[in-house]
Amino acid sequence: QVHLVESGGGLVQPVWSPTLSCPTSTSTLDNYAIGWFRPAPGKERKGVACISSSSGRTYYAESLKGRITISRDNDKNTVYLEITGLKSEDTGTYYCAAPDSRDYGMCHPAFMRYWGKGTLVTVSS
């Protein structure tokens, strides 16, 4: 059973650099890639960043490169997403998800099987 629960959202100011967390189990982190997703204009969700379980290979959405970092702490069984240079368009619910494999293939919602319930990030000054 893959259980994903996001945290770290809330009301944030543009000068902040929040880090979202997706804690899970050792077996999940060892056997499943993890990705972060958020809504996009005209789409239900889009891939923000993904990290492979086996190789640590990462993917970043082109439009967000340089502002986001996905990382994994195996000791804490947690995957993180740090966001810097916040903009109003970063507002939205961020979801943690996993495909049914160690590699994500494509960092796309259609390839994910397991989803958390999301954590809402609201950017406001």
Side-chain angles (χ1 to χ4, degrees):
Q1 185 77 17
V2 177
H3 187 58
L4 305 169
V5 180
E6 305 88 340
S7 64
L11 182 63
V12 297
Q13 297 184 14
V15 294
W16 294 0
S17 298
T19 298
L20 308 181
S21 300
C22 180
T24 183
S25 66
T26 301
S27 62
T28 296
L29 216 57
D30 287 345
N31 294 296
Y32 299 91
I34 300 289
W36 286 95
F37 298 80
R38 75 180 192 189
K43 301 179 182 179
E44 183 178 345
R45 296 173 191 175
K46 76 166 189 179
V48 173
C50 285
I51 186 165
S52 169
S53 169
S54 52
S55 64
R57 180 173 71 100
T58 57
Y59 163 89
Y60 293 102
E62 192 65 33
S63 60
L64 297 170
K65 279 184 179 178
R67 296 204 297 119
I68 56 172
T69 303
I70 189 170
S71 61
R72 186 177 66 199
D73 187 329
N74 293 333
D75 291 335
K76 296 183 178 179
N77 296 324
T78 301
V79 175
Y80 301 98
L81 181 73
E82 182 185 16
I83 312 171
T84 62
L86 284 172
K87 304 177 181 179
S88 59
E89 52 262 43
D90 292 323
T91 292
T93 298
Y94 287 73
Y95 298 90
C96 179
D100 208 2
S101 62
R102 291 182 175 180
D103 200 351
Y104 50 84
M106 289 185 65
C107 191
H108 188 283
F111 287 78
M112 302 297 133
R113 179 176 180 181
Y114 307 100
W115 290 88
K117 294 185 178 181
T119 184
L120 176 62
V121 174
T122 303
V123 182
S124 176
S125 56

